């Protein structure tokens, strides 16, 4: 359906025809602009993004194919329809090769043109709708390789989409293995800085004195061992992104220096007085609670606020169990892809091997979902990799292929029946009490019949009698 927002550029040198077509289009709600030459058409195209261009192929001066080219080069989404002379199908075919949507031949009925236009608009609408739906689907489950469809992850993707395009400082917090680094990289790769470098520095992996040199660089002789002049990570990240991992482990002295960088965007190499200006986006990550560290006085409050411009919190995996099947699938696919690049691709049988798609039994999946994953996604990734190795040859991963601690996970159906009191308890005594109570109840229910009571408790009669004796003694 044409609507008033559709702008048409109509290029036709025959004034009467042009006028007639323009009126018909206007009647149907199109916004029509008429030009009588190729020169004028090209000029108009430079400053207005028409939705549709209808151009005669044969024009004096710049001809219709040049106009068409100017239109589709500039606006790949424009709908271009060419009008050809009678019997010049060859020209029409040529035009379509150059990006025209369709053509009509002179003389034509206005209805013919309108029909072509309607069809084009409808197809364009479907195409963009599909693209939109596709984008939405992809968005929901994935953002640059970060998988997840749980609510916290969907919210995260939305946030990432918004903040990626800015240069704001971001503080990512989350337990170990929750994906802080993947998120940092995803932000960089979706930002206008993506062509520049992503420079990572793990503040906890390097001794304090070296860390400063890593960050700021140094000149020759700045300290023992500084044999040459070296660029620091800050300089390397110029115009790009600097990822400061484990920022909570920085010493007080270094915190102060980092604060200055964030405030002034300038610093000096160690041993140098020359001030260097940098344009870096800083993304910091921490698995400790920086706010708590501020309260405890171990992290500078002003630095915390400078870093925490946009907080991104990654929830632990146990709080988003619904992502587990998706992540498992993701890792299985990745492993399959990796093994699909065999060392000797010509080797027979290699193909058969790699085409094997491994699945996970429901029982194993229940265990995977029941486990509390203290190491989060990284631990899950390792468990999947291990299970694939253990499943050697079989097409399904089973409970037995999982790490022991995962096999022992209590599935959600088993609700905790007893609470552990704050002050603790005596386990043996507690269990004796439970035992005594259940035996008494079973005897009551069976009118004191020890045989039947034992059956109720899945015990041998002799075992029940023994237990009764022991409990009486206790
Ligand atoms: N949502 C996710 N989708 C896919 N892979 C993920 C996701 N989250 C984490 N991973 C994978 O898990 C592993 C750990 O992620 P990452 O190194 O980013 O964690 P981290 O939070 O930086 O951990 P640490 O605090 O231990 O440094 C990586 O191999 C990463 O690819
Ligand atoms: Mg990390």
């Amino acid at each position: 359906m044409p609507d008033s927002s559709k702008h048409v550029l109509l290029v036709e040198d025959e004034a009467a025809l042009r006028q007639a077509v323009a009126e018909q289009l206007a009647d149907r709600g199109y916004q029509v602009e008429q030009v009588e030459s190729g020169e004028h058409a090209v000029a108009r195209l430079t400053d207005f993004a028409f939705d549709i261009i209808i151009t005669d192929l044969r024009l004096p001066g710049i001809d219709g194919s040049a106009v068409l080219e100017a239109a589709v080069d500039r606006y790949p989404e424009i709908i271009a329809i060419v009008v050809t002379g009678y019997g010049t199908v060859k020209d029409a075919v040529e035009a379509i090769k150059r990006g025209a949507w369709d053509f009509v031949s002179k003389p034509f009925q206005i209805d013919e043109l309108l029909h072509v236009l309607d069809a084009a608009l409808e197809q364009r609408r479907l195409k963009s709708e599909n693209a939109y739906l596709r984008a939405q689907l992809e968005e929901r489950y994935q953002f640059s390789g970060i998988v997840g469809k749980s609510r916290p992850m969907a919210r995260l993707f939305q946030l990432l989409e918004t903040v990626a395009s800015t240069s704001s400082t971001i503080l990512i917090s989350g337990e170990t293995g929750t994906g802080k680094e993947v998120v940092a990289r995803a932000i960089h790769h979706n930002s206008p800085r993506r062509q520049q470098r992503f420079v990572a520095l793990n503040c906890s992996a390097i001794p304090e004195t070296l860390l400063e040199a890593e960050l700021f660089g140094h000149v020759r002789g700045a300290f023992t061992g500084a044999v040459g002049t070296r660029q620091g990570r800050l300089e390397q990240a110029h115009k790009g992104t600097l990822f400061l991992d484990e920022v909570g482990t920085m010493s007080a002295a270094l915190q102060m220096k980092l604060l200055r960088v964030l405030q002034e965007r300038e610093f000096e190499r160690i041993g140098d007085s020359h001030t260097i200006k940098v344009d870096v986006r800083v993304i910091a990550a921490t698995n400790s609670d920086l706010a708590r560290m501020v309260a405890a006085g171990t992290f500078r409050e002003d630095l915390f606020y400078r870093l925490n411009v946009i907080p991104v919190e990654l929830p632990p995996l146990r709080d988003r169990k619904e992502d587990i099947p998706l992540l498992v699938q993701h890792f299985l696919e990745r492993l399959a892809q990796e093994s699909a690049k065999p060392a000797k691709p010509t080797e027979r049988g290699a193909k058969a091997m790699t085409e094997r798609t491994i699945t996970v039994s429901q029982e194993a999946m229940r265990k995977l979902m029941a486990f509390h994953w203290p190491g989060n996604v990284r631990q899950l990734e390792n468990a999947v990799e291990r299970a694939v190795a253990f499943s050697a040859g079989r097409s399904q991963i089973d409970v037995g292929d999982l790490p022991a601690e995962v096999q022992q996970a209590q599935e959600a159906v088993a609700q905790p029946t007893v609470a552990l009191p704050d002050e603790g308890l005596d386990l043996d005594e507690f269990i004796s009490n439970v035992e005594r109570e259940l035996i008494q109840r079973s005897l009551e229910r069976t009118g004191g019949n020890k045989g039947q009571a034992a059956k109720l408790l899945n015990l041998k009669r002799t075992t029940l009698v023994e237990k009764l004796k022991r409990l009486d003694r206790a």
Side-chain angles (χ1 to χ4, degrees):
M1 269 284 103
D3 57 64
S4 55
S5 63
K6 295 287 179 226
H7 291 266
V8 182
L9 181 62
L10 178 61
V11 196
E12 173 59 69
D13 58 327
E14 282 175 49
L17 175 62
R18 189 178 68 233
Q19 197 61 43
V21 172
E23 273 171 24
Q24 295 277 357
L25 290 174
D27 279 355
R28 291 183 170 67
Y30 292 98
Q31 305 270 331
V32 188
E33 193 165 322
Q34 311 178 34
V35 288
E36 77 297 335
S37 72
E39 283 81 357
H40 279 126
V42 172
R44 280 304 283 136
L45 282 167
T46 55
D47 50 38
F48 193 82
F50 290 91
D51 301 289
I52 299 157
I53 179 170
I54 301 172
T55 181
D56 195 351
L57 270 189
R58 210 149 299 165
L59 293 167
I62 294 182
D63 76 349
S65 55
V67 171
L68 171 68
E69 211 168 288
V72 295
D73 273 0
R74 201 176 308 255
Y75 310 109
E77 291 295 295
I78 201 169
I79 294 174
I81 291 166
V82 296
V83 178
T84 61
Y86 177 73
T88 52
V89 175
K90 207 168 138 262
D91 292 349
V93 170
E94 200 51 43
I96 284 170
K97 276 193 197 147
R98 286 166 188 252
W101 190 280
D102 211 339
F103 70 94
V104 290
S105 308
K106 276 185 193 172
F108 59 86
Q109 299 289 319
I110 187 73
D111 281 349
E112 202 183 328
L113 177 65
L114 290 172
H115 178 76
V116 166
L117 214 46
D118 279 352
L121 286 169
E122 177 64 7
Q123 274 200 47
R124 171 58 41 83
R125 192 181 64 76
L126 285 176
K127 188 180 147 205
S128 61
E129 205 163 75
N130 283 342
Y132 174 75
L133 285 177
R134 218 173 18 245
Q136 270 212 325
L137 271 180
E138 279 165 11
E139 237 170 51
R140 220 178 300 150
Y141 300 135
Q142 181 138 352
F143 181 91
S144 281
I146 312 170
V147 174
K149 66 171 177 179
S150 58
R151 284 186 118 226
M153 291 308 276
R155 269 204 300 271
L156 175 75
F157 296 162
Q158 255 174 23
L159 177 67
L160 294 187
E161 196 131 299
T162 329
V163 302
S165 59
T166 71
S167 264
S168 306
T169 304
I170 292 178
L171 179 64
I172 306 173
S173 52
E175 290 179 11
T176 180
T178 46
K180 296 184 291 296
E181 182 153 357
V182 270
V183 165
R185 287 180 190 276
I187 293 170
H188 174 74
H189 288 293
N190 286 278
S191 80
R193 295 169 179 261
R194 69 176 73 88
Q195 306 290 353
Q196 309 295 328
R197 298 182 66 181
F198 175 89
V199 178
L201 179 60
N202 186 334
C203 303
S204 74
I206 305 172
E208 146 105 62
T209 45
L210 289 183
L211 183 58
E212 186 176 351
E214 276 298 324
L215 193 55
F216 299 107
H218 58 77
V219 292
R220 188 175 168 188
F223 48 84
T224 332
V227 285
T229 294
R230 238 184 103 212
Q231 264 196 354
R233 302 288 169 98
L234 263 169
E235 272 179 270
Q236 291 170 2
H238 183 52
K239 294 204 181 295
T241 303
L242 177 67
F243 177 52
L244 292 175
D245 207 355
E246 308 281 0
V247 77
T249 61
M250 266 193 184
S251 70
L254 214 48
Q255 286 180 31
M256 202 172 77
K257 290 182 178 159
L258 178 60
L259 179 67
R260 177 175 165 227
V261 175
L262 291 177
Q263 280 172 342
E264 322 284 344
R265 303 280 156 180
E266 60 180 40
F267 67 96
E268 289 89 32
R269 290 178 183 164
I270 300 174
D272 199 2
S273 58
H274 171 66
T275 299
I276 299 172
K277 291 238 167 236
V278 276
D279 165 20
V280 286
R281 173 191 221 162
V282 174
I283 302 180
T286 176
N287 55 26
S288 39
D289 186 341
L290 282 194
R292 189 174 289 174
M293 288 178 70
V294 168
T298 50
F299 200 84
R300 288 186 72 106
E301 187 173 20
D302 43 12
L303 178 58
F304 173 66
Y305 287 119
R306 282 280 168 189
L307 290 174
N308 201 36
V309 179
I310 300 173
V312 172
E313 277 160 40
L314 295 184
L317 188 55
R318 63 184 163 279
D319 289 351
R320 45 183 167 110
K321 289 188 185 292
E322 61 191 291
D323 286 342
I324 290 175
L326 213 64
L327 283 162
V328 168
Q329 190 56 35
H330 172 72
F331 295 136
L332 285 176
E333 277 166 19
R334 211 172 59 191
L335 285 168
Q337 268 170 24
E338 279 164 16
S339 68
K341 296 174 213 139
K344 287 179 238 161
T346 49
E347 209 169 86
R348 290 197 71 201
K351 191 151 184 287
M353 276 286 290
T354 58
E355 273 177 6
R356 182 169 78 100
T357 48
I358 300 184
T359 56
V360 177
S361 77
Q362 281 299 90
E363 201 193 344
M365 189 59 86
R366 280 196 292 278
K367 287 293 182 192
L368 289 168
M369 292 177 77
F371 190 59
H372 62 291
W373 301 110
N376 294 291
V377 185
R378 180 183 295 112
Q379 193 184 7
L380 175 66
E381 188 176 3
N382 292 341
V384 170
E385 205 172 319
R386 195 194 105 112
V388 169
F390 271 55
S391 74
R394 277 177 288 120
S395 63
Q396 193 170 63
I397 289 172
D398 221 329
V399 178
D401 303 319
L402 302 176
E405 69 267 28
V406 180
Q407 291 187 35
Q408 281 148 23
Q410 289 298 309
E411 287 164 36
V413 281
Q415 293 291 333
T417 46
V418 286
L420 178 63
D422 287 345
E423 67 279 13
L425 51 70
D426 182 324
L427 184 63
D428 289 338
E429 191 192 337
F430 187 86
I431 288 174
S432 297
N433 288 340
V434 172
E435 218 171 18
R436 181 182 290 120
E437 194 177 334
L438 287 173
I439 291 174
Q440 269 165 9
R441 281 201 200 154
S442 60
L443 287 168
E444 280 163 22
R445 195 178 297 176
T446 59
N449 183 322
K450 288 185 182 132
Q452 283 177 17
K455 232 181 209 158
L456 265 184
L457 296 172
N458 193 26
L459 296 173
K460 283 194 200 131
R461 190 178 183 283
T462 49
T463 314
L464 181 86
V465 173
E466 257 174 50
K467 278 186 184 295
L468 272 174
K469 278 188 198 148
R470 193 157 41 80
L471 290 170
D472 280 341
R473 262 183 269 124

